[in-house]
Amino acid sequence: YSNRNEEATNLLNTAIAQDPNNSQLYHAMGSVYESGIKDPVKAEEYYTKALSLDPNNAAALSNLGRIFYNQGVNKLGEANLISDAKKYNEEKEIAKEFFRKALPHFEKAHQINPKEREYMTALRGIYYNLDMSKEFDEMEAKMEQ
């Protein structure tokens, strides 16, 4: 967050070389690539590696889900600028694919930490965008508790 991304990646690479099975180090590297360097492809690689080492890393699950979720939101925004109905529906379907990719990550993160509002908010948005009204209503009810 201090905009010292190169220094952070160097330090994390050193730490990973010393402890290559530490899921948290890969998660941290993913965060640097996602938030600092703004490279979602590399961030996805590191979050995926973190999850291969610890499938119950809720933070890595939600961060990976967020990458897909944000891509879906961006694609929906692009779709909303299209006046041709056929092209709009094609772009909307691409957006839904990103939401489908985000869904299992947020569902598992929510299962691990059911009180985390960030996960519930993301799931509510995903359910809405995937026309999953039953799940949407259930999440709304949970969030009102």
Side-chain angles (χ1 to χ4, degrees), residues 14-25:
T14 299
I16 287 170
Q18 293 173 3
D19 190 4
N21 294 318
N22 186 329
S23 173
Q24 293 301 322
L25 295 174

Side-chain angles (χ1 to χ4, degrees), residues 83-127:
S83 57
D84 178 271
K86 183 179 182 223
K87 288 182 182 175
Y88 166 79
N89 286 328
E90 289 171 357
E91 291 299 304
K92 189 174 175 186
E93 189 53 41
I94 293 170
K96 284 185 172 190
E97 227 13 78
F98 285 118
F99 292 124
R100 285 184 198 101
K101 284 177 77 172
L103 180 60
H105 301 293
F106 278 112
E107 285 183 329
K108 186 166 183 179
H110 177 63
Q111 179 184 17
I112 293 166
N113 190 353
K115 300 225 183 273
E116 177 61 53
R117 291 204 51 94
E118 175 189 341
Y119 307 160
M120 290 189 275
T121 301
L123 283 168
R124 182 180 62 186
I126 292 168
Y127 295 147

Side-chain angles (χ1 to χ4, degrees), residues 16-17 35-36 41 48 51 55-56 59 63-64 67 85 110 132 136:
I16 287 170
S35 301
V41 173
T48 300
L51 291 169
N56 294 317
N63 287 342
L64 183 56
I67 288 174
H110 177 63
M132 299 171 71
F136 176 85

Side-chain angles (χ1 to χ4, degrees), residues 41-96:
V41 173
K42 285 295 269 187
E44 180 183 340
E45 289 175 23
Y46 281 104
Y47 291 144
T48 300
K49 177 65 176 176
L51 291 169
S52 74
L53 295 169
D54 179 6
N56 294 317
N57 183 330
L61 283 162
S62 71
N63 287 342
L64 183 56
R66 184 180 57 242
I67 288 174
F68 299 135
Y69 183 89
N70 288 342
Q71 289 173 319
V73 169
N74 291 338
K75 188 52 81 173
L76 264 185
E78 292 171 14
N80 287 331
L81 299 174
I82 298 172
S83 57
D84 178 271
K86 183 179 182 223
K87 288 182 182 175
Y88 166 79
N89 286 328
E90 289 171 357
E91 291 299 304
K92 189 174 175 186
E93 189 53 41
I94 293 170
K96 284 185 172 190

Side-chain angles (χ1 to χ4, degrees), residues 117 120 124 127 134-145:
R117 291 204 51 94
M120 290 189 275
R124 182 180 62 186
Y127 295 147
K134 176 181 173 259
E135 291 85 352
F136 176 85
D137 291 341
E138 289 171 358
M139 191 56 63
E140 281 276 292
K142 276 185 187 180
M143 292 180 76
E144 291 175 6
Q145 294 176 353

